Amino acid sequence: MIEKELQRYFGFNTFKTGQREVISRLVDRQSAVAIFPTGAGKSLCYQLPAMLLPHMTLVVSPLLALMKDQIDFLSKHNIPAARLDSTLSKEEHDHILERARNGDLKILMIAVERFKNERFRAQLRRMDISLLVVDEAHCISEWGHNFRPDYLKLPVYQKEFGIPQVLLLTATATEQVRDDVCGKFQVPKENVMVTGFYRDNLFLQVSPTPESEKLGHLRQRIDEAPKAPTIVYVTLQKTAESVSNFLRDNGINSFPYHAGMANEEREQIQNEFLAGKIDCIAATIAFGMGIDKKDIRRVIHYDLPKSIENYSQEIGRSGRDGKQSFCEILANRDSISLLENFIYGDTPGKEAVDKLLHKIQQHNEPVWETKLTALSFELDIRLLPLKTLLVYLEMEGIIRPKHTRFDEYMFKYQLEPSAIANKFQGERRDFSIEIFNNCQTKRVWTYVDMQGILSGYDRAGRERVIAALEYFSEKGWIELQSKQAIEAYDILKADFNAEVVGEKTIGLFEAKEKQEIQRIHNLVNFFEGDSCLSKRLARYFDEDIEKKHCGHCSCCQSGSAVIQRSIELPPLSTFSFSEMSREFFEIAGNYCSVLNITKFFCGISSPALIRLKAKKLEHFGVFERYTFLDVKIWVGKCLPRTESMKNKQQ
Ligand code: ADP
Ligand code: MG
């Protein structure tokens, strides 16, 4: 029956694996979860139901580019779909909302941030919506590997806007993430569909390798087929550089790739790799999203990946053409602390949370405006956990986001203003001229007078002016800079019990920290396990493969691996605390706490340590291979009582 509709709307003859099961549940007015690997056809799972359900389907997607592809596909099939984003003119924007209200639109796509806009929320209340779709739904779960705080509110929005059904789409979700998101959206377990993770053309090899032998091992491996397209994954940017240099010195056509490099350079390296002009990329996890190269023959993990999900995704980039490919991990336990330290740096201290709660309680106006980066420094909480913290407070009913705005925009002309305006016609041209007429050029920068533009031109809101500037900048016509965003919140409740809320919030962060540390240990256990790796990997994503042994993993071929530490670490008690910490004391002032000294020794960056420029000191990171908790205990013992007393009084 629904095959007919598939043919009618999209011209496809058969469903891909799993699609039918998901779609039929949605058509039966239930909620569902689809966990398929990339390319398996997740989008169709909402696109067809959107045509069969009575009201509109609202899709939340994290990437503008993904939305655009999907809208193009839908338009091609004459399905009324649109996306709301800030590049639209006011007329276009209003027109889409009107069509959504009238029921003319079957699919509306948005980014999650749009919910933060109170005017958009007011519009949503006036629409009839059958289905809420969340793409990349693992972002919802704090236990997921790519948690985005704003996603946490989606279950609340579903209720608030009375949307009866949800569909969650993701390529990665473990049992825990799955249970978590199912619980949050009340999706019954039997409506979770998982498929397609097992890959029979990938050989999975775990090679226990001492740190000192990794480069030699890597070289030998690559020499087996020096031209075979290869990705070498590493944890740190500096390792990407050093590994790539090493390979080049040994005659391999290799380049590094990491987030610390300039955009153009990265793009060029990526394109040349795709085109087969570069044989090997030594990359951090920054490399690979959306890469479509079919003939990658090797993925080598030089360091431990971040999680089993990351591992699965990263090896999944090899052998897309179905041909034999080789995935190897050079494993030891030496880098576990490095991975753990990323996590410890994200848990805010109790004082920081209390400080924020007080700040909110003492704010005497109904609207609280804050700049997140400044707040991050003030409280000494990294940006991502700070956003998480604010979402927690939102879920407690204490604050509610109103809108985001930037307080200052400035740019440098790369083209004459008239030349830029002449790229457009009609209203868009007038609008561009109006913008430039209201800008003031000083010595180097041209400053945007937002008020001036808005009062002189009633057909545009702030968002559109900003979108236009972004567009000019994207095209390279101007070089744009904006000063930090201001987040405005309504304070809904200021008389909450700060102690209770503080405890609860810290509890959430601590549970999250524990989970993430556990995730790393699960990863090592996974590589050490004594049964078929392919089978266990599929099992991890809740997929069963029938055969007992895949026959194409190191476990099936030569048994389980033992992963050990290879670097001998002298006990902490053999170090002199007073000598090593002296330089830190000299600069630290108020920041002299056990936590900060521990972070300093473990090489964990934080807003406070950035402000102190502690990274430049000799002993920053000297204990990066030690366990954070051990170092913390050691610091706690060594830090003279008087110092900590003094610290408390300040
Ligand atoms: P995912 O989101 O899971 O990565 P997409 O939804 O982007 O995958 O789908 C990948 C491709 O498969 C798209 O080009 C889509 O049009 C195509 N596709 C989806 N379902 C079917 C089907 N039943 N028959 C043929 N092609 C399909
Ligand atoms: Mg997709």
Side-chain angles (χ1 to χ4, degrees):
M1 206 24 230
I2 49 176
E3 267 85 359
K4 258 200 196 133
E5 309 285 359
L6 176 71
Q7 171 69 39
R8 171 167 156 224
Y9 287 109
F10 298 98
F12 296 145
N13 293 321
T14 49
F15 285 109
K16 292 192 175 200
T17 318
Q19 286 179 334
R20 173 172 232 299
E21 288 78 357
V22 174
I23 293 170
S24 54
R25 279 172 175 80
L26 291 169
V27 175
D28 280 350
R29 308 291 169 88
Q30 300 172 33
S31 292
V33 178
I35 306 177
F36 307 167
T38 307
K42 286 187 287 295
S43 314
L44 194 91
C45 293
Y46 78 82
Q47 289 165 337
L48 185 58
M51 299 311 292
L52 307 176
L53 292 171
H55 304 299
M56 195 177 72
T57 292
L58 180 66
V59 183
V60 178
S61 172
L63 275 175
L64 214 67
L66 294 181
M67 286 193 229
K68 199 180 165 306
D69 289 351
Q70 294 180 21
I71 297 283
D72 290 347
F73 174 83
L74 291 164
S75 315
K76 211 175 80 193
H77 292 95
N78 299 318
I79 291 174
R83 76 188 156 127
L84 264 192
D85 65 53
S86 48
T87 64
L88 303 170
S89 73
K90 192 172 180 322
E91 281 86 355
E92 289 165 326
H93 177 266
D94 290 350
H95 184 56
I96 289 175
L97 288 177
E98 188 188 311
R99 286 170 67 204
R101 280 197 312 270
N102 294 344
D104 294 341
L105 210 54
K106 290 311 280 181
I107 296 174
L108 178 64
M109 304 193 81
I110 56 166
V112 71
E113 289 77 19
R114 188 144 298 263
F115 284 110
K116 286 203 203 172
N117 184 306
E118 59 188 347
R119 281 171 45 204
F120 179 67
R121 293 201 301 263
Q123 288 286 344
L124 273 186
R125 285 193 195 92
R126 301 168 58 194
M127 296 176 194
D128 288 322
I129 305 172
S130 289
L131 175 64
L132 172 68
V133 180
V134 185
D135 210 356
E136 307 296 336
H138 54 274
C139 298
I140 296 167
S141 177
E142 292 136 286
W143 318 131
H145 62 107
N146 191 15
F147 170 54
R148 307 222 329 200
D150 285 321
Y151 271 68
L152 206 51
K153 283 173 289 181
L154 288 170
V156 179
Y157 293 136
Q158 187 204 348
K159 291 204 187 75
E160 186 175 341
F161 303 114
I163 307 174
Q165 294 173 260
V166 287
L167 169 65
L168 311 175
L169 303 173
T170 174
T172 61
T174 61
E175 199 174 335
Q176 189 184 23
V177 173
R178 214 159 41 230
D179 288 352
D180 186 25
V181 297
C182 282
K184 285 191 165 112
F185 286 103
Q186 284 145 18
V187 181
K189 267 204 150 160
E190 59 276 17
N191 288 5
V192 179
M193 240 53 65
V194 186
T195 183
F197 285 90
Y198 173 56
R199 301 271 306 274
D200 64 4
N201 62 323
L202 305 189
F203 192 100
L204 308 187
Q205 168 84 33
V206 179
S207 304
T209 316
E211 200 60 30
S212 59
E213 291 172 22
K214 276 182 176 176
L215 283 174
H217 185 111
L218 178 67
R219 182 181 163 193
Q220 265 186 354
R221 181 65 71 204
I222 296 204
D223 277 346
E224 287 171 3
K227 307 295 284 174
T230 300
I231 308 175
V232 180
Y233 276 111
V234 303
T235 304
L236 302 174
Q237 296 182 355
K238 61 182 181 197
T239 321
E241 300 275 349
S242 62
V243 165
S244 179
N245 286 340
F246 169 83
L247 290 173
R248 284 180 79 79
D249 290 346
N250 284 283
I252 303 299
N253 177 11
S254 162
F255 283 84
Y257 186 103
H258 58 75
M261 292 161 56
N263 277 343
E264 311 87 71
E265 195 185 359
R266 278 201 304 185
E267 215 164 285
Q268 190 183 350
I269 289 175
Q270 174 171 325
N271 289 338
E272 290 188 1
F273 181 66
L274 291 180
K277 291 184 196 149
I278 290 176
D279 300 325
C280 178
I281 299 255
T284 61
I285 52 168
F287 184 73
M289 258 277 259
I291 290 272
D292 192 23
K293 182 173 170 65
K294 303 255 184 290
D295 62 345
I296 296 175
R297 291 277 77 86
R298 282 182 301 219
V299 169
I300 302 179
H301 282 89
Y302 186 84
D303 294 314
L304 289 176
K306 271 179 73 180
S307 62
I308 299 179
E309 289 90 330
N310 281 81
Y311 175 71
S312 156
Q313 224 166 51
E314 284 152 12
I315 63 169
R317 295 189 178 121
S318 65
R320 291 259 170 94
D321 53 8
K323 293 188 189 154
Q324 296 296 319
S325 304
F326 187 72
C327 306
E328 180 175 34
I329 165 157
L330 314 185
N332 61 48
R333 289 181 180 265
D334 299 309
S335 59
I336 291 181
S337 300
L338 288 178
L339 291 175
E340 289 182 345
N341 288 349
F342 281 114
I343 297 166
Y344 287 121
D346 267 352
T347 306
K350 176 138 189 359
E351 308 88 85
V353 172
D354 288 344
K355 201 165 161 184
L356 176 64
L357 295 178
H358 273 102
K359 205 178 162 70
I360 291 172
Q361 287 193 320
Q362 253 133 51
H363 190 79
N364 277 330
E365 286 154 54
V367 177
W368 172 51
E369 291 201 331
T370 182
K371 293 185 188 178
L372 287 186
T373 31
L375 190 64
S376 158
F377 275 103
E378 184 186 338
L379 302 171
D380 192 21
I381 302 178
R382 281 187 195 168
L383 212 50
L384 184 70
L386 177 61
K387 287 183 185 168
T388 307
L389 175 57
L390 290 168
V391 170
Y392 285 156
L393 298 185
E394 201 184 317
M395 314 266 288
E396 283 293 313
I398 293 171
I399 53 175
R400 183 178 59 202
K402 232 172 134 57
H403 53 76
T404 307
R405 63 182 178 84
F406 286 90
D407 60 344
E408 194 173 53
Y409 280 89
M410 52 203 188
F411 61 86
K412 287 181 200 168
Y413 285 110
Q414 308 290 332
L415 275 186
E416 288 296 315
S418 56
I420 299 176
N422 283 334
K423 303 262 181 200
F424 302 96
Q425 288 167 351
E427 190 268 343
R428 284 178 184 240
R429 185 168 175 277
D430 298 342
F431 180 47
S432 307
I433 293 172
E434 186 68 22
I435 292 179
F436 296 130
N437 284 346
N438 277 289
C439 289
Q440 204 187 11
T441 303
K442 296 198 175 149
R443 251 173 39 136
V444 181
W445 291 96
T446 298
Y447 292 82
V448 178
D449 175 3
M450 190 66 74
Q451 236 28 64
I453 299 170
L454 296 182
S455 59
Y457 200 83
D458 59 6
R459 295 171 68 190
R462 211 187 144 76
E463 277 197 356
R464 189 177 170 214
V465 176
I466 293 159
L469 292 168
E470 297 282 1
Y471 184 76
F472 301 159
S473 150
E474 236 174 77
K475 291 281 177 192
W477 303 334
I478 62 172
E479 182 190 329
L480 182 67
Q481 278 208 345
S482 49
K483 287 266 180 72
Q484 269 318 306
I486 295 179
E487 305 281 340
Y489 290 93
D490 286 320
I491 296 187
L492 302 180
K493 193 164 73 182
D495 59 348
F496 56 87
N497 184 330
E499 198 153 324
V500 173
V501 175
E503 289 286 323
K504 183 170 171 189
T505 313
I506 286 290
L508 289 170
F509 277 110
E510 281 173 353
K512 185 162 141 60
E513 176 183 283
K514 216 167 130 195
Q515 282 293 335
E516 291 193 10
I517 297 290
Q518 188 58 45
R519 195 202 311 278
I520 296 172
H521 294 270
N522 291 345
L523 174 81
V524 178
N525 293 342
F526 169 75
F527 290 125
E528 278 193 324
D530 59 3
S531 61
C532 172
L533 283 161
S534 305
K535 197 173 168 75
R536 276 187 294 123
L537 188 59
R539 187 67 235 140
Y540 186 79
F541 292 101
D542 217 22
E543 184 183 32
D544 278 318
I545 54 176
E546 277 170 24
K547 41 192 171 183
K548 192 146 184 255
H549 303 287
C550 72
H552 49 86
C553 72
S554 55
C555 206
C556 285
Q557 289 214 336
S558 48
S560 62
V562 179
I563 301 174
Q564 291 171 312
R565 255 189 193 283
S566 68
I567 299 175
E568 208 42 65
L569 297 175
L572 288 165
S573 58
T574 58
F575 293 93
S576 160
F577 176 83
S578 57
E579 260 171 49
M580 290 171 67
S581 58
R582 187 172 305 132
E583 52 174 11
F584 185 74
F585 282 126
E586 277 165 12
I587 58 164
N590 276 349
Y591 291 109
C592 245
S593 63
V594 171
L595 190 63
N596 282 338
I597 300 173
T598 308
K599 284 182 180 174
F600 170 70
F601 282 143
C602 290
I604 299 173
S605 177
S606 69
L609 296 195
I610 289 170
R611 176 167 278 181
L612 295 173
K613 299 200 170 67
K615 251 187 176 168
K616 289 197 181 138
L617 301 179
E618 188 188 341
H619 294 99
F620 181 82
V622 278
F623 294 147
E624 63 180 8
R625 291 195 183 274
Y626 285 74
T627 305
F628 180 82
L629 293 176
D630 291 347
V631 178
K632 196 168 162 198
I633 291 169
W634 181 71
V635 171
K637 272 194 206 140
C638 297
L639 185 69
R641 271 190 73 109
T642 43
E643 276 298 334
S644 56
M645 292 296 291
K646 200 169 88 191
N647 191 43
K648 266 195 187 146
Q649 284 162 6
Q650 276 167 348

